[in-house]
């Protein structure tokens, strides 16, 4: 079955046309202006049918999980009137967005938690284009685990050369065969690689069949919204190039045999869809994540676009940069109250201790350049994420690095990597592993910029 260009435009296949009005968006006050995009976003319980014939008592944003896709243009202000209809407090963090601390969604640091029934208005400018996402920064294991994760797409100011695009949120649900949730965190697993889910999904569907327009070049935005899993992405049988990593453009290069996408990370691919009727797989290592099918329809975007324009991130001055070393370690000490399996420079973060934010692990001078030496002294990999600022990956003792800007670096087991940044955003910024089990059992710290 083919589809007409009009159907593509209407998004009937879930395929968005770049630059079109936000699909399914619910604007509050009924308007958006040139400079501001408004959303009304509600977090509330929803029922999902993840396994046919069963019900999963999930939590969603905007009535879905993964949540409503928020879209705006680079340079615009995003204003989200958020309301909490969950039975517990929550916040929203805007992963990868360089914004003021008050909008960063960290409880007791940026704001007070939003209590059940309360609203909070998030409002910030979007300096960078790319694929981002949003999620709570409270009770992360449970809240992200139940489905509070959503894509935030910031379109380039000028047309990017892509005609069509599709966002794919990757999540593995912690459910049993009846659809009921299982434990989001099991101590034995938290002390290792983190507690994995059992049912893989793309946009909330297990093993979906996704249709793409034959012969066209399509932008796929893959977002790892999972608590734990590092996806080993494979898409043989289809010509595809990496255009951006974690929202930041790279010189287009083939996807290759396998790309490791850790929790929190994103990859934007340009895919040349084969001739009509062709089918191919997206896999996580040997496991199938989705099947793609090429269907007749749209025309007009058959060539690979040129590289995407760089985001306006300050270039660190490596000659003047001061170095700071961060050791990520397994400590294994299990106290009776909280498990502190992990630590950064000998300190385990305690998610139950609000005063942790008052003891930053490093203080940076505003405007200065820094090199962070990230040393993983453990047998497990850690997607290391920084709030508020993007950093440039410089080198690794394990692999050849072509430097790029990012907000999350997947630090392999026993790897040492160097990254650099200009401390240009004043505030106290969370610095943590994005394996939720790790961040909740110690692998988190605060970095201050004064
Ligand atoms: Cu997605 Cu503290 O981050
Ligand atoms: Cu973040
Ligand atoms: Cu980790």
């Amino acid at each position: 079955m083919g589809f007409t260009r009009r159907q593509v435009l209407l998004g009937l296949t879930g395929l968005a046309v770049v630059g079109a009005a936000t699909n399914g968006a619910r604007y509050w006050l009924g308007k958006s202006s040139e400079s501001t995009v408004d959303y009304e976003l509600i977090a509330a319980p929803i029922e999902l049918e993840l396994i046919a014939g069963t019900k999963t008592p999930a939590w969603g944003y905007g009535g879905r999980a993964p949540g409503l896709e928020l879209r705006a243009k680079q340079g615009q202000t995003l204003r989200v009137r958020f309301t909490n209809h969950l039975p517990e407090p929550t916040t929203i963090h805007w992963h990868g967005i360089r914004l003021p601390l008050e909008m960063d969604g960290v409880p007791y640091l940026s704001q007070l938690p939003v209590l059940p029934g309360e609203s909070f208005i998030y409002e910030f400018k979007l300096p960078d284009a790319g694929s981002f996402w949003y999620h709570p920064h409270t009770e992360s294991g449970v809240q992200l685990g139940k489905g509070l994760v959503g894509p935030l797409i910031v379109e380039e100011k000028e047309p990017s050369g892509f005609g069509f695009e599709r966002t794919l949120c990757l999540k593995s649900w912690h459910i049993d065969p009846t659809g009921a949730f299982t434990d989001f965190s099991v101590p034995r697993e938290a002390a290792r690689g983190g507690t994995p889910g059992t049912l893989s999904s793309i946009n909330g569907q297990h093993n979906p069949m996704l249709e793409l327009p034959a012969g066209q070049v399509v932008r796929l935005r893959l977002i790892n919204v999972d608590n734990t899993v590092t996806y080993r992405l494979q898409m043989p049988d289809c010509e595809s190039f990496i255009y951006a990593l974690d929202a930041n453009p790279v010189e287009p290069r083939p996807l290759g045999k396998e790309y490791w996408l850790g929790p929190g990370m994103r990859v934007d691919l340009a895919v040349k869809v084969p001739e009509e009727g062709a089918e191919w797989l997206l896999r996580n290592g040997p496991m199938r994540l989705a099947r793609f099918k090429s269907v007749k329809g749209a025309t007009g975007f058959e060539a690979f676009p040129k590289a995407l324009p760089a985001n306006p991130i300050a270039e660190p001055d490596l000659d003047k940069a001061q170095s700071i070393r961060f050791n990520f370690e397994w400590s294994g000490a299990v106290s009776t109250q909280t498990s502190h399996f992990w630590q950064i420079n000998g300190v385990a973060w305690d998610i139950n201790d609000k005063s942790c934010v008052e003891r930053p692990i490093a203080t940076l001078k505003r405007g200065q350049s820094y090199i962070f030496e990230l040393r993983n002294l453990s047998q497990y990999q850690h997607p290391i994420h920084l709030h508020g600022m993007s950093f440039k990956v410089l080198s690794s003792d394990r692999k050849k690095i072509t430097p790029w800007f990012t907000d999350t670096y997947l630090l392999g087991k026993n790897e040492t990597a160097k990254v650099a940044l200009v401390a240009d955003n004043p505030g106290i910024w969370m610095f943590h592993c994005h394996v939720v089990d790790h961040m909740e059992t110690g692998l988190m710290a605060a970095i201050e910029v004064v």
Side-chain angles (χ1 to χ4, degrees), residues 5 14 25 53 77 89 115 158 177 214 216 233 251 263 282 303 376 409 414:
R5 181 168 174 90
T77 292
L115 302 178
E158 305 298 333
Q216 306 298 296
L233 297 174
E251 198 43 50
L282 173 66
N376 184 356
Y409 178 71
N414 296 312

Side-chain angles (χ1 to χ4, degrees), residues 99-129:
L99 42 55
L101 183 63
E102 312 82 71
M103 294 295 135
D104 200 39
V106 178
Y108 304 105
L109 176 61
S110 304
Q111 63 174 111
L112 290 173
V114 184
L115 302 178
E118 282 186 356
S119 292
F120 185 91
I121 295 175
Y122 291 97
E123 182 172 359
F124 48 87
K125 210 172 148 133
L126 301 162
D128 304 318

Side-chain angles (χ1 to χ4, degrees), residues 37 167 234:
V37 177
T167 305
Q234 301 181 359

Side-chain angles (χ1 to χ4, degrees), residues 277-306:
E279 291 190 11
W280 70 102
L281 298 177
L282 173 66
R283 293 194 313 237
N284 171 23
M287 269 114 56
R288 179 194 294 187
L289 288 174
R291 185 167 22 178
F292 286 101
K293 188 174 182 190
S294 168
V295 296
K296 178 161 127 219
T299 53
F301 292 91
E302 289 166 18
F304 282 97
K306 56 184 194 326

Side-chain angles (χ1 to χ4, degrees), residues 3 7 10 21 50 73 105 119 145 165 174 187 196 206 213 290 292 299-300 305 310 358 375 435:
F3 52 75
Q7 281 172 321
L10 289 170
L50 294 167
K73 255 203 176 62
S119 292
E165 64 171 59
H174 296 68
H206 177 61
F292 286 101
T299 53
E358 291 157 20
R375 297 174 72 211
V435 171

Side-chain angles (χ1 to χ4, degrees), residues 137-374:
H137 229 276
T138 49
E139 296 297 332
S140 301
V142 172
Q143 295 196 358
L144 276 70
K146 286 191 173 180
L148 294 175
V149 294
L152 165 55
I153 305 304
V154 184
E155 296 168 0
E156 289 78 16
K157 276 189 188 139
E158 305 298 333
S160 60
F162 286 98
F164 307 100
E165 64 171 59
R166 194 154 185 170
T167 305
L168 307 179
C169 289
L170 277 50
K171 176 171 167 60
S172 178
W173 297 84
H174 296 68
I175 55 173
D176 68 17
T178 72
F181 281 118
T182 53
D183 283 347
F184 297 106
S185 180
V186 175
R188 184 168 39 86
E189 303 283 353
R192 297 183 166 85
T195 309
T198 48
L199 185 84
S200 75
S201 74
I202 290 186
N203 298 346
Q205 256 188 294
H206 177 61
N207 244 325
M209 159 80 100
L210 306 168
E211 295 185 347
L212 295 178
Q216 306 298 296
V217 170
V218 174
R219 181 178 190 168
L220 294 183
R221 301 172 182 267
L222 282 80
I223 308 182
N224 184 347
V225 298
D226 198 75
N227 286 24
T228 310
V229 179
T230 290
Y231 292 90
R232 291 153 50 201
L233 297 174
Q234 301 181 359
M235 197 164 54
D237 312 321
C238 180
E239 197 185 356
S240 45
F241 288 82
I242 296 176
Y243 269 59
L245 296 173
D246 307 321
N248 289 296
V250 295
E251 198 43 50
R253 61 171 192 254
L255 172 62
K257 230 180 119 214
E258 191 165 86
Y259 181 77
W260 290 32
L261 192 72
M265 299 167 73
R266 294 85 71 205
V267 59
D268 285 31
L269 300 179
V271 172
K272 174 82 181 191
V273 181
E275 74 290 350
E276 188 188 342
E279 291 190 11
W280 70 102
L281 298 177
L282 173 66
R283 293 194 313 237
N284 171 23
M287 269 114 56
R288 179 194 294 187
L289 288 174
R291 185 167 22 178
F292 286 101
K293 188 174 182 190
S294 168
V295 296
K296 178 161 127 219
T299 53
F301 292 91
E302 289 166 18
F304 282 97
K306 56 184 194 326
L308 297 165
N311 283 320
I313 301 170
E315 190 65 43
D317 181 342
L318 299 180
D319 294 331
K320 296 207 182 101
Q322 187 191 322
S323 286
I324 306 178
R325 176 180 283 187
F326 296 99
N327 291 339
F328 303 94
E329 277 182 278
W330 190 78
S331 60
V334 186
S335 78
T336 47
Q337 282 299 316
T338 328
S339 302
H340 288 170
F341 295 128
W342 300 96
Q343 52 189 29
I344 304 180
N345 288 355
V347 183
W349 184 273
D350 184 345
I351 49 164
N352 297 310
D353 180 356
K354 297 187 200 45
S355 74
C356 278
V357 296
E358 291 157 20
R359 295 185 293 278
I361 195 168
T363 300
L364 315 182
K365 271 209 209 85
R366 189 173 177 186
Q368 291 254 48
S369 293
Y370 292 86
I371 294 173
F372 290 180
E373 190 180 313
L374 311 175

